[in-house]
Amino acid sequence: MIKIAIFGFGAVGQGVAEVLLNKRDALRRLIGDFRVVAITDSKGGIADENGVDLLKALEIKRKRKRLPEGITTLDVINSLDFDVCIEATVTNIEHGEPGLTHIKECLKRGVDVITSNKGPLVVAYRELADLADRKDAKLMFEATVGGAMPIIKLVKNDLAGNEIYAIKGILNGTCNYILSRMEKEKLSYDQILAEAKELGIAEADPTYDVEGIDAAAKLVIIANSLMDMDVKFEDVERIGITNITPEAFEVAMDKGYTIRLIAEVDKVERILRVSPRLIPIQHPLAISGTLNAALIKTDLAGDIVVVGKGAGSKETASAIISDLIELYRC
Ligand code: HSE
């Protein structure tokens, strides 16, 4: 019996609970029997070692916006027996909290961790990976980069044995949505940002998106976890999209180019950068809407391109569930 605790019950945590509920039988065939023994949010939580009623938890959250007060995440970590935590609290890339403490405390106890939270990995990837090794626990983080777009396990598993020279891509769906709308409809930046917020994929503070902070955080995770680098957020050269105008697209389009916010790490050329770049309109990275894409340059496999939905409750849950299956496949 796999016992799961979910920390953070916003769009991602709820998306995971829905999948665990709706795909219960299919998942049981893949990983064996499981139950969720605790769910917490920033205000409280529900715990039951015999299994939390997921449908009821989702209903409570939707009706009252918060779980019952009285149980904290640290209470759960300190007093409950569970095998894996799904850490889906809000990202803070300055100090990584509260997720950083949740992850450390779980790993210290030998509990496996699956996280969608970028903050702890940006702040302390190496420390957390070493701690996981020492405690014989697993740290899984497919959901931190590219939402449903496979990249972390793709590189670690399917491209195992390759050296990764460079990864260049579109790692922020909000910016890509804004730029592709600007390109097609000649609308101003402010008009489209308001619509992007309504789509629900923008960060709680959308300056994280439009100033390239979110993409830079994902780039740091990629560089450190997939390319054996040791870089910090401050090492990323970063320019956002706030100064791009519809007129800039007209000039670019005349010459056969579009403009996209490109995140790029190149070990050979020593590049670690997020910036708006001219991309030929036929190029695989010239994608539109909220999609993400990555061009992975390797020594054996050559170039690999992946494209997929970079955000959203269901899409991020897809990445988390794939980590869960990778950990416990029978
Ligand atoms: N705000 C992010 C984006 C969400 O637009 O890509 C996924 O990290």
Side-chain angles (χ1 to χ4, degrees):
M1 169 70 68
I2 303 159
K3 294 182 206 138
I4 303 169
I6 300 175
F7 302 148
F9 207 41
V12 175
Q14 290 175 56
V16 170
E18 273 168 20
V19 177
L20 294 177
L21 191 62
N22 298 335
K23 294 198 166 215
R24 181 171 292 263
D25 293 340
L27 286 170
R28 279 196 175 131
R29 283 195 291 276
L30 287 166
I31 63 172
D33 210 2
F34 65 88
R35 67 168 68 123
V36 173
V37 294
I39 304 177
T40 59
D41 63 12
S42 58
K43 300 286 188 299
I46 303 174
D48 184 343
E49 56 191 23
N50 296 315
V52 169
D53 182 337
L54 293 176
L55 193 57
K56 207 163 142 200
L58 286 162
E59 273 170 17
I60 293 173
K61 183 75 182 179
R62 276 171 201 151
K63 266 194 211 135
R64 300 215 299 250
K65 301 272 183 249
R66 56 173 62 177
L67 296 174
E69 285 175 29
I71 297 175
T72 68
T73 303
L74 289 177
D75 291 338
V76 170
I77 295 173
N78 289 325
S79 61
L80 221 66
D81 173 36
F82 56 100
D83 304 292
V84 55
C85 94
I86 293 173
E87 218 294 332
T89 61
V90 174
T91 289
N92 179 302
I93 55 154
E94 275 149 40
H95 48 62
E97 297 296 355
L100 182 57
T101 298
H102 300 163
I103 294 177
K104 274 189 194 167
E105 292 304 314
C106 284
L107 293 176
K108 275 186 203 164
R109 290 161 173 76
V111 168
D112 296 328
V113 171
I114 300 172
T115 185
S116 59
N117 187 342
K118 293 163 277 232
L121 299 196
V122 171
V123 173
Y125 172 73
R126 192 73 52 205
E127 186 191 341
L128 295 175
D130 289 348
L131 180 60
D133 278 352
R134 278 203 311 281
K135 296 293 176 179
D136 205 15
K138 294 280 187 298
L139 173 63
M140 307 292 284
F141 49 93
E142 184 70 57
T144 58
V145 181
M149 177 185 79
I151 183 162
I152 303 291
K153 293 198 292 298
L154 177 85
V155 172
K156 280 178 180 268
N157 298 344
D158 300 311
L159 296 175
N162 279 267
E163 186 176 347
I164 311 297
Y165 295 134
I167 297 181
K168 178 174 175 177
I170 291 171
L171 301 181
N172 184 273
T174 303
C175 286
N176 209 61
Y177 175 79
I178 294 173
L179 293 176
S180 47
R181 291 280 310 272
M182 202 182 267
E183 169 190 328
K184 293 207 172 61
E185 295 164 56
K186 311 278 172 272
L187 297 170
S188 78
Y189 165 84
D190 290 327
Q191 265 174 296
I192 312 168
L193 177 59
E195 289 175 35
K197 280 191 219 161
E198 277 167 32
L199 280 182
I201 64 154
E203 296 297 299
D205 174 359
T207 54
Y208 264 48
D209 295 296
V210 295
E211 289 181 3
I213 297 170
D214 175 71
K218 290 165 179 163
L219 199 61
V220 169
I221 295 173
I222 283 178
N224 290 340
S225 68
L226 302 181
M227 299 173 70
D228 205 20
M229 294 171 75
D230 190 9
V231 299
K232 296 191 285 298
F233 180 79
E234 297 73 37
D235 298 332
V236 183
E237 223 181 288
R238 175 172 57 84
I239 304 171
I241 62 162
T242 49
N243 290 326
I244 307 287
T245 60
E247 292 70 42
F249 277 99
E250 277 171 33
V251 177
M253 297 299 273
D254 276 352
K255 297 191 160 52
Y257 289 88
T258 186
I259 303 167
R260 292 290 182 264
L261 186 73
I262 300 295
E264 192 175 6
V265 48
D266 189 319
K267 256 175 143 173
V268 184
E269 305 287 333
R270 299 181 151 272
I271 294 170
L272 188 66
R273 170 173 69 200
V274 173
S275 62
R277 304 286 295 280
L278 288 169
I279 302 288
I281 45 179
Q282 303 296 343
H283 193 277
L285 294 184
I287 51 165
S288 291
T290 59
L291 288 173
N292 279 202
L295 169 59
I296 305 160
K297 292 191 167 289
T298 75
D299 59 347
L300 305 177
D303 290 359
I304 303 278
V305 178
V306 278
V307 179
K309 288 192 177 163
S313 167
K314 191 163 46 97
E315 292 78 2
T316 309
S318 161
I320 289 176
I321 295 296
S322 77
D323 279 349
L324 186 72
I325 294 169
E326 162 101 359
L327 281 183
Y328 300 112
R329 196 190 285 271
C330 300

